[in-house]
Amino acid sequence: MRWVSAIITACIIMVSLNTASALGGDISELKKLISTNEDTRTNSQDLAFFLATHNYNAEPEDSYVELNLNDKIYKLIPNGDKPGLCDIMS
């Protein structure tokens, strides 16, 4: 029973460390994430979900995603057939 609680504790610590590192990310980490992934069918809902699963503060709008990164708002537009997932506008 001690092993189970130790494993659960370790998992909780690992998840919290991962969240902290992603939330402290910068624009270069974001650019790397969106350039290493590609999906021509991605819309604003899909993009916001993808970013949220990578611990970014992203909200879908009609045709773009608003991303709050280090108290700066970025507008991310899914780019369809172009390389990467989206274009970043400041």
Side-chain angles (χ1 to χ4, degrees), residues 35-53:
S35 68
T36 58
N37 293 280
E38 226 173 283
D39 186 351
T40 58
R41 298 169 296 173
T42 297
N43 61 26
S44 61
Q45 294 285 330
D46 297 332
L47 181 59
F49 178 78
F50 175 78
L51 294 168
T53 60

Side-chain angles (χ1 to χ4, degrees), residues 46-84:
D46 297 332
L47 181 59
F49 178 78
F50 175 78
L51 294 168
T53 60
H54 288 85
N55 299 318
Y56 286 97
N57 184 4
E59 295 289 327
E61 298 297 332
D62 290 332
S63 61
Y64 64 95
V65 173
E66 273 191 6
L67 177 85
N68 185 338
L69 182 62
N70 298 328
D71 295 325
K72 185 170 181 181
I73 304 296
Y74 293 92
K75 182 178 178 180
L76 281 63
I77 303 170
N79 62 4
D81 292 334
K82 295 185 218 168

Side-chain angles (χ1 to χ4, degrees), residues 14-34:
M14 289 175 60
V15 167
S16 65
L17 289 175
N18 185 28
T19 301
S21 67
L23 290 176
D26 59 9
I27 191 70
S28 64
E29 291 174 6
L30 175 64
K31 287 180 180 179
K32 181 179 177 184
L33 178 66
I34 62 172

